[in-house]
Amino acid sequence: MIVLAIGAHPDDIEISCAGTLAKLKQAGHEVVLCHVCKGDKGHYHIPPSELTDIRRKEAEEAGGVIGSRVLTLGFGDGEVIADNQENRMKFIDLIREVRPDLVITHAPNDYMPDHIAVSHLVFYATFFATLPHFVTDRPATGKVPGLYYMDNLSGLGFEPTFYVDVTDHFATKLEMLKKHQSQLVWLKEHDGVDIVDFVDALGKTRGIQAGCAYAEGFVQQLVWTRPNAVRFPV
């Protein structure tokens, strides 16, 4: 299987679903990571042009931990607009490039505008990528992939429909997260959060709910055609 994880910014995927991705990769599936935005505004002191390079390298290093390809759509932070057709076509082209069986992205009620816009754009693109008269640089895909929403930060407003036991892969998840050193500093300065401790606590909370040490929670998109798509192979 091909699994495509799409996060708004470098580090979003690592925070919310990297344990599951590590588990899928170890099981022999192809895992592709994509951050939509450059992460160019997530720092008090480092200017956007310099921060873009730093965060791209951090994302590549994080993907390298599990041997996954890392893509970016190159949007500036705060510049993702869901009802813009040009943006929609970029997401359609991404789906056609990767041709995933399964897609993981933000829930539509996540906490910040970039996350919410990405959720809507992925929902749009995973369907319309199958229609050949939406013309991009790549041919239409042959099927609508399964679509799953990863946990919101802190789990607020998010009720998982199923859990993945990531106990054996949680150390890998943290290793991937720690590659984003610029954001460990930024989140502590901007939000007063030790994001590594934060992720550990949420993993334990979901683990309590799932009956294991550490878990990640997901919601399956269940609108028509989606339930018939490939399910999580874990």
Side-chain angles (χ1 to χ4, degrees), residues 15 170 173-174 177 194-206 213-214:
I15 289 170
F170 202 77
K173 175 187 175 83
L174 294 185
L177 178 61
D194 180 334
I195 195 62
V196 175
D197 182 67
F198 183 99
V199 166
D200 185 82
L202 181 58
K204 287 179 179 177
T205 300
R206 295 305 190 199
Y214 286 96

Side-chain angles (χ1 to χ4, degrees), residues 115-149:
H115 292 204
I116 295 167
V118 166
S119 180
H120 289 298
L121 284 161
V122 171
F123 177 75
Y124 180 101
T126 47
F127 183 85
F128 285 113
T130 66
L131 305 184
H133 292 299
F134 279 87
V135 179
T136 70
D137 291 336
R138 298 173 175 88
T141 57
K143 62 182 177 182
V144 178
L147 180 59
Y148 293 81
Y149 298 126

Side-chain angles (χ1 to χ4, degrees), residues 140-187:
T141 57
K143 62 182 177 182
V144 178
L147 180 59
Y148 293 81
Y149 298 126
M150 60 190 180
D151 219 334
N152 291 342
L153 266 74
S154 80
L156 288 172
F158 190 89
E159 294 293 333
T161 56
F162 74 97
Y163 300 85
V164 176
D165 182 348
V166 296
T167 304
D168 293 340
H169 298 84
F170 202 77
T172 302
K173 175 187 175 83
L174 294 185
E175 183 182 355
M176 293 172 70
L177 178 61
K178 289 175 183 177
K179 297 298 182 182
H180 296 275
Q181 283 297 314
S182 69
Q183 292 311 284
L184 301 187
V185 173
W186 162 251
L187 289 166

